[in-house]
């Protein structure tokens, strides 16, 4: 008998186990017994059904229509993405969705190298640089987040199968899972605008900004971003017709990958572009260099 | 885990409108909810939408009872249906009705959030404050169809038949997410007393639901 718990002792705790009200110290021992006892397994299943019915005692509460529809839209978007065939990285470009204004006919209109951009750059210059870019669905980022989510889910299931002594690990995994689910939602939700930032040199960095307009969440994913010089950092800007708003600084990983998230409420129609500049460590109140990456809304 | 060996007639009645009263465990006709879950398992996201439309008020009611913050409630409602989507292929009609399965998911996800919030904020309790749910039955069942409403009536009637202290232990554990030790601390009762009350409460609820379910079948 595991951890000294007899059948009688375990049986007396099955109701509390079915209600998930056992203290952690007791839960592991009861579950260890149940795992080896067909009688207790059967009894627990019946008790769990009864416990499940308790939920009906709570009065149903209709949701406000906006909230009801918001959740529904997110669920259907997630489900549609979930049932899609497994996408390979090679297939990703085929899923690009153009939203128009591509002047060169390609997926991404190359920008002038940033070294040739005018050193004095007002809003008009930023608009000019942003013109012609297209929005592209970030399949790579979505797949990455999906894989992380699935890994977290598998880990969570494994830990749940273990004893109750691992509650701390469970907490951490649940937090990871929740964060990944939220990130996926902010990448594929119905009100997410996607912008691609690019430059001319094939070896230059590329990035995508996902703007979840419902949650005011900004997720920036970039590749091939070189490490800035000592004492320098990168800074993200949200450009409106009247202001350049800092969305924070970031540093790439050693292999040039960037994943940055920020929260900022911006009226839907006021964004003209997003851009990245090279700034002194700690960031600047306003851009002090020409943008190295930029994209229109 | 093996299927329950105990009588489950009350569970089968949960889908009486399409199954037929008294059809028992061996029923072959698929309920509307079961058909939706089967379609979900096959990847039909529109079925998820229909299931959501049917059950979101009930799920929202349970989750709202356990969590106070609107953001938490919204997240958990969404995660409930998302988990149902992901685990639709694991649904086993022999183990209970779709609504029981769905509400078990909802309660489990809400409980995770309640406990995470309590650990994070070091607050003694988030959610249920011991308020008696039984009184809420007279307020009507917005969003519930006739069969679910009848099922809810049975559950509330069975709860009403419990001694107050047993019902309190049950509700603090189920809706409040409190462990037996926490309930003992909250109510000032010895731990052994709380354990006994909780055990007896669920046993009585189980038998009451069976009796009431049988009476419903007999009269229907």
């Amino acid at each position: 008998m595991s951890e000294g718990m007899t059948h009688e002792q375990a049986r007396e705790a099955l109701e509390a186990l079915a209600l998930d009200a056992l203290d952690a110290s007791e839960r592991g021992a009861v579950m260890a017994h149940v795992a080896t006892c067909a009688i207790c397994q059967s009894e627990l299943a019946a008790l769990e059904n009864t416990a499940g019915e308790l939920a009906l005692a709570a009065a149903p509460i209709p949701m406000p229509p906006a909230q009801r529809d918001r959740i529904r839209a997110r669920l259907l978007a997630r489900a549609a993405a979930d049932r899609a065939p497994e996408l390979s990285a090679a297939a990703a470009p085929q899923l690009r969705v153009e939203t128009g204004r591509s002047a060169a006919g390609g997926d991404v209109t190359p920008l002038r190298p940033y070294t040739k951009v005018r050193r004095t750059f007002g809003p008009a210059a930023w608009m000019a640089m942003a013109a012609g870019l297209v929005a592209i669905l970030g399949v790579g980022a979505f797949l990455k987040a999906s894989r992380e989510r699935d890994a977290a889910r598998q880990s969570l299931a494994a830990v749940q199968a273990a004893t109750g002594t691992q509650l701390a690990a469970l907490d951490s995994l649940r937090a990871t899972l929740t964060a990944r689910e939220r990130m996926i939602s902010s990448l594929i939700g119905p009100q997410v605008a996607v912008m691609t930032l690019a430059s001319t040199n094939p070896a230059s960095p590329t990035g995508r900004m996902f703007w979840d307009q419902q949650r005011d969440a900004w997720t920036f994913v970039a590749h091939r971003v070189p490490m800035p010089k000592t004492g320098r950092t990168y800074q993200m800007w949200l450009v409106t017709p009247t202001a350049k708003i800092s969305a924070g600084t970031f540093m790439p990983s050693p292999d040039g990958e960037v994943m940055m998230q920020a929260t900022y409420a911006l009226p839907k129609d006021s964004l003209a572009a997003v851009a990245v500049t090279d700034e002194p460590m700690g960031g600047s109140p306003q851009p002090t260099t020409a943008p190295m990456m930029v994209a229109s809304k | 885990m093996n299927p329950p060996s105990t009588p489950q007639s009350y569970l089968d009645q949960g889908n009486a409108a399409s199954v037929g009263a008294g059809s028992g465990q061996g029923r072959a006709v698929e309920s509307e909810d079961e058909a939706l879950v089967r379609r979900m398992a096959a990847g039909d996201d529109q079925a998820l939408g229909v299931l959501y439309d049917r059950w979101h008020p009930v799920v929202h009611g349970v989750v709202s009872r356990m969590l106070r913050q609107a953001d938490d409630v919204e997240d958990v409602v969404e995660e409930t249906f998302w988990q149902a989507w992901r685990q639709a292929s694991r649904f086993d009609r022999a183990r209970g009705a779709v609504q029981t399965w769905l509400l078990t998911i909802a309660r489990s996800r809400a409980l995770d959030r309640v406990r995470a919030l309590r650990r994070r904020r070091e607050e003694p309790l988030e959610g249920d404050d011991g308020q008696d749910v039984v009184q809420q039955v007279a307020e009507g069942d917005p969003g519930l169809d006739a069969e679910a409403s009848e099922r809810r009536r049975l559950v509330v009637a069975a709860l009403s038949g419990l001694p107050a202290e047993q019902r309190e232990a049950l509700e603090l554990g189920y809706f409040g997410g409190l462990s037996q030790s926490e309930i003992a601390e909250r109510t000032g009762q010895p731990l052994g007393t709380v354990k006994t009350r909780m055990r007896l409460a669920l046993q009585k609820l189980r038998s009451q639901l069976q009796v009431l379910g049988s009476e419903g079948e007999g009269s229907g």
Side-chain angles (χ1 to χ4, degrees):
Chain A
M1 207 64 67
S2 300
E3 300 186 34
M5 182 159 276
T6 66
H7 174 75
E8 288 69 27
Q9 288 171 327
R11 174 61 196 86
E12 287 193 351
L14 288 183
E15 285 79 8
L17 181 61
L19 290 163
D20 203 0
L22 272 181
D23 292 303
S25 57
E26 211 175 347
R27 181 182 171 85
V30 177
M31 290 183 70
H33 169 81
V34 171
T36 63
C37 177
I39 296 172
C40 283
Q41 288 172 17
S42 174
E43 185 69 2
L44 179 61
L47 289 168
E48 284 177 337
N49 258 326
T50 303
E53 295 242 62
L54 265 174
L56 284 172
I61 304 175
M63 280 187 279
Q67 184 186 35
R68 178 197 63 205
D69 295 344
R70 186 166 62 237
I71 297 175
R72 193 182 200 279
R74 283 204 302 263
L75 278 168
L76 292 187
R78 293 170 75 181
D82 189 53
R83 68 173 163 73
E86 188 69 24
L87 301 171
S88 67
Q94 298 171 6
L95 294 180
R96 289 183 173 183
V97 179
E98 295 192 16
T99 58
R101 297 200 296 168
S102 175
D107 287 340
V108 176
T109 301
L111 291 176
R112 290 175 293 172
Y114 75 90
T115 52
K116 295 181 181 177
V117 175
R118 285 185 299 162
R119 286 301 174 189
T120 54
F121 45 95
W126 288 66
M127 302 300 181
M129 286 187 290
L133 289 173
V134 296
I136 297 176
L137 182 65
V139 176
F142 167 69
L143 286 173
K144 182 173 186 289
S146 294
R147 283 194 294 270
E148 290 173 344
R149 175 205 57 192
D150 290 342
R153 180 178 287 120
Q154 289 167 6
S155 300
L156 178 58
V159 172
Q160 281 177 322
T163 68
T165 60
Q166 294 174 310
L167 286 177
L170 263 178
D171 243 11
S172 171
L173 284 165
R174 285 195 178 106
T176 302
L177 183 55
T178 301
R180 291 295 178 255
E181 299 278 22
R182 188 178 291 277
M183 173 179 288
I184 289 171
S185 176
S186 71
L187 296 181
I188 65 171
Q191 292 189 37
V192 174
V194 187
M195 293 148 275
T196 295
L197 296 84
S199 54
T200 51
N201 189 337
S204 297
T206 59
R208 290 175 190 129
M209 175 66 94
F210 301 80
W211 177 18
D212 186 340
Q213 296 166 346
Q214 203 161 41
R215 297 183 177 180
D216 302 319
W218 302 78
T219 305
F220 177 59
V221 182
H223 313 283
R224 298 194 304 272
V225 179
M227 195 63 72
K229 293 177 181 175
T230 305
R232 307 288 295 183
T233 187
Y234 293 116
Q235 191 162 2
M236 173 66 70
W237 302 94
L238 310 179
V239 183
T240 73
T242 58
K244 302 182 190 72
I245 303 157
S246 173
T249 61
F250 65 87
M251 296 287 276
S253 66
D255 57 355
E257 299 296 306
V258 173
M259 171 71 83
M260 171 193 178
Q261 289 194 292
T263 302
Y264 188 87
L266 196 66
K268 187 180 287 187
D269 298 327
S270 64
L271 182 75
V274 294
V276 174
T277 60
D278 181 304
E279 301 292 339
M281 191 62 72
S284 303
Q286 286 293 297
T288 61
T289 64
M292 59 172 288
M293 300 174 73
V294 66
S296 65
K297 179 181 174 184
Chain B
M1 193 169 289
N2 296 334
S5 59
T6 51
Q8 295 289 300
S9 58
Y10 68 94
L11 285 177
D12 292 330
Q13 199 203 24
N15 292 301
S18 49
V19 172
S23 54
Q25 274 189 308
R27 62 191 166 79
V29 180
E30 186 179 58
S31 75
E32 187 177 343
D33 283 334
E34 288 168 352
L36 290 173
V37 174
R38 178 176 48 75
R39 286 168 53 196
M40 284 162 56
D44 181 351
D45 51 352
Q46 295 308 309
L48 172 63
V50 177
L51 191 80
Y52 174 81
D53 292 340
R54 277 174 65 83
W55 289 105
H56 75 265
V58 182
V59 170
H60 185 237
V62 173
V63 175
S64 296
R65 184 165 172 77
M66 298 178 69
L67 291 160
R68 292 199 177 101
Q69 297 298 323
D71 286 351
D72 291 326
V73 171
E74 181 167 332
D75 280 353
V76 171
V77 169
E78 181 176 340
E79 290 313 307
T80 297
F81 284 96
W82 179 244
Q83 185 173 336
W85 164 263
R86 296 284 298 185
Q87 298 183 346
S89 61
R90 297 190 213 167
F91 171 74
D92 181 0
R93 63 200 295 248
R95 295 181 60 181
V98 169
Q99 68 198 44
T100 308
W101 172 69
L102 191 61
L103 292 177
T104 299
I105 294 174
R107 192 260 181 172
S108 180
R109 295 286 68 78
L111 195 56
D112 288 344
R113 185 64 62 98
V114 166
R115 290 174 174 169
L117 289 172
R118 281 164 56 197
R119 274 191 286 270
R120 192 183 312 157
R121 299 173 185 168
E122 296 184 350
E123 287 179 356
L125 174 64
E126 169 84 15
D128 189 82
D129 54 6
Q131 179 190 358
D132 194 339
V133 295
V134 173
Q135 63 191 13
Q136 297 180 8
V137 74
E139 296 174 3
D141 294 331
L144 276 192
D145 60 21
E147 63 186 90
S149 200
E150 171 62 11
R151 194 68 209 150
R152 171 166 147 69
R153 189 191 65 76
L154 288 178
V155 172
V156 172
L159 265 178
S160 301
L162 296 178
E165 65 276 8
Q166 290 182 15
R167 193 166 68 234
E168 180 189 46
L170 207 54
E171 292 180 0
L172 285 174
Y174 190 82
F175 290 108
L178 296 182
S179 69
Q180 291 179 319
S181 293
E182 291 167 330
I183 295 172
E185 187 179 344
R186 162 71 71 97
T187 60
Q189 296 296 319
L191 178 58
T193 301
V194 171
K195 288 185 174 183
T196 302
R197 286 176 179 175
M198 187 172 278
R199 189 169 70 249
L200 292 176
L202 197 61
Q203 288 174 355
K204 286 182 183 176
L205 185 70
R206 179 180 172 187
S207 58
Q208 275 289 99
L209 284 173
Q210 289 170 356
V211 170
L212 292 171
S214 300
E215 288 175 354
E217 289 176 15
S219 62

